[in-house]
Amino acid sequence: MKKLLFQFDTDTHPSVFDTVVGYDGGADHVIGHGGLTPDNISALVDGAIFTRAPKDKKNTAIFIGGSDMIAGQALLAAVQKHFFPGFQVSVMLDSNGGNTTAAAAVAKLATSGALAGKKAVVLAGTGPVGQRAAALLAQEGAEVSLTGRKMDRAVRACKNMHARFGVNIIPVEAIDNNARAEAIADAHIVFATGAAGVELISADQWLHNKTIELMADANATPPIGIGGIDVMDRGTERHGKIVWGALGFGALKLTLHRACIAKLFEDNKQVFDAEAIFALAKALA
Ligand SMILES: NC(=O)c1ccc[n+]([C@@H]2O[C@H](COP(=O)([O-])OP(=O)(O)OC[C@H]3O[C@@H](n4cnc5c(N)ncnc54)[C@H](OP(=O)(O)O)[C@@H]3O)[C@@H](O)[C@H]2O)c1
């Protein structure tokens, strides 16, 4: 019985990254579908849940990806709505690696210092990684704010996380590096989750800061998000702060992503979203 992973992607082209990790996580075949919405998945979900005998359904799983976390969340809800007792398969949501990347980084930050009660700022937190990172930090007891270049995008991201996790994140409009430097002035934790190849703050905007204890940057593409750190930093001390670079926690992200894929095939009722993925990240970190 082949292990089949169906990639349900909200973007036009299913993510190549997710295809590769699907195979590396143990799937025998990864079948990608792009441009999916809650309105066009019925036949695809039916094909996944009706084809195999109950004991064999664990060999079929669904992976939801794409660049839009809100669209991914809606797709997950729509897929689950199609399930009914005896007719379901395991499913994972990881739009743009948002869950696995955020979970790996926050789990590594937690190994470097306390998160509860700390003031955390997620820079450029409006994307999939930033939204999930902000929610996880808040669930760990941090007081979290999130920046975006436009207030309406920051507010939308915060509202989405409140609706999904019940957490209160403070939206902050920060149009440029100077505004982002202001936003982290009294922070204890800074996590940069900006688009690839965009510097969000320069070295001289944080290295003299007296409150920052922990920093992480998800962007591995030069220029990286936080000037003056290194992508390979793995809990490295820089100017009195503990720093995690994108590749420093990236190994855990990949291990975690593969481990989640492998677990999808253990039974047909697994749901890998932020909670289950973060629990596994903490165990692996
Ligand atoms: N280390 C790892 O293992 C790993 C794994 C996956 C992804 N990543 C990286 O994690 C980062 C976040 O991923 P993502 O998918 O959440 O990112 P994303 O959606 O591409 O971008 C995140 C946010 O960056 C902001 N942004 C875009 N262009 C900008 C600019 N020129 N100046 C300032 N801000 C800008 C946007 O916010 P506003 O428009 O609201 O300002 C956007 O919502 C990326 O760098 C990605 O490559 C790392």
Side-chain angles (χ1 to χ4, degrees):
M1 177 76 46
K2 301 271 190 213
K3 290 179 189 160
L4 304 180
L5 183 67
F6 289 93
Q7 241 182 296
F8 284 13
D9 208 293
T10 58
D11 290 353
T12 309
H13 302 292
S15 156
V16 170
F17 186 103
D18 293 338
T19 305
V20 174
V21 184
Y23 282 107
D24 292 348
D28 294 313
H29 287 290
V30 182
I31 305 97
H33 295 277
L36 297 194
T37 70
D39 297 328
N40 63 12
I41 55 162
S42 294
L44 297 174
V45 180
D46 284 351
I49 64 177
F50 283 122
T51 37
R52 286 171 158 177
K55 70 171 179 32
D56 294 328
K57 285 195 203 299
K58 66 177 184 186
N59 295 304
T60 306
I62 294 172
F63 178 95
I64 297 171
S67 58
D68 183 338
M69 179 56 80
I70 295 177
Q73 286 174 199
L75 205 60
L76 173 63
V79 165
Q80 289 179 301
K81 215 170 148 199
H82 266 75
F83 295 164
F84 56 97
F87 293 87
Q88 71 182 87
V89 296
S90 290
V91 57
M92 173 171 176
L93 169 64
D94 201 24
S95 299
N96 258 19
N99 275 330
T100 49
T101 307
V106 175
K108 284 296 191 187
L109 283 169
T111 65
S112 297
L115 307 180
K118 302 290 179 169
K119 194 164 175 183
V121 179
V122 180
L123 293 173
T126 50
V129 176
Q131 288 185 44
R132 290 299 166 117
L136 294 177
L137 286 164
Q139 286 190 322
E140 290 298 291
E143 181 198 319
V144 186
S145 55
L146 164 161
T147 75
R149 288 170 296 173
K150 291 226 167 82
M151 194 56 163
D152 61 339
R153 275 179 57 79
V155 168
R156 183 168 182 256
C158 294
K159 280 190 176 157
N160 178 46
M161 283 174 293
H162 184 263
R164 170 62 180 80
F165 298 97
V167 293
N168 292 312
I169 313 287
I170 304 159
V172 175
E173 182 174 89
I175 193 165
D176 57 15
N177 289 29
N178 288 337
R180 285 184 284 269
E182 231 172 86
I184 63 165
D186 60 350
H188 303 113
I189 302 166
V190 176
F191 186 9
T193 60
V198 176
E199 186 192 78
L200 299 173
I201 44 169
S202 60
D204 60 6
Q205 290 176 313
W206 63 266
L207 58 85
H208 301 298
N209 180 294
K210 299 264 188 277
T211 58
I212 296 173
E213 298 165 7
L214 306 174
M215 301 179 88
D217 181 9
N219 167 23
T221 308
I224 61 172
I226 300 178
I229 74 164
D230 192 280
V231 285
M232 297 306 295
D233 282 344
R234 293 173 55 86
T236 307
E237 191 179 329
R238 290 188 182 271
H239 308 285
K241 299 125 183 54
I242 305 291
V243 178
W244 286 90
L247 301 183
F249 71 80
L252 175 60
K253 180 262 179 310
L254 272 171
T255 301
L256 177 63
H257 191 157
R258 291 185 193 123
C260 292
I261 298 290
K263 282 182 175 292
L264 290 174
F265 297 110
E266 287 180 0
D267 72 53
N268 70 320
K269 296 194 182 74
Q270 310 266 7
V271 179
F272 276 91
D273 195 353
E275 294 83 352
I277 292 171
F278 189 46
L280 188 55
K282 285 202 270 195
L284 291 170

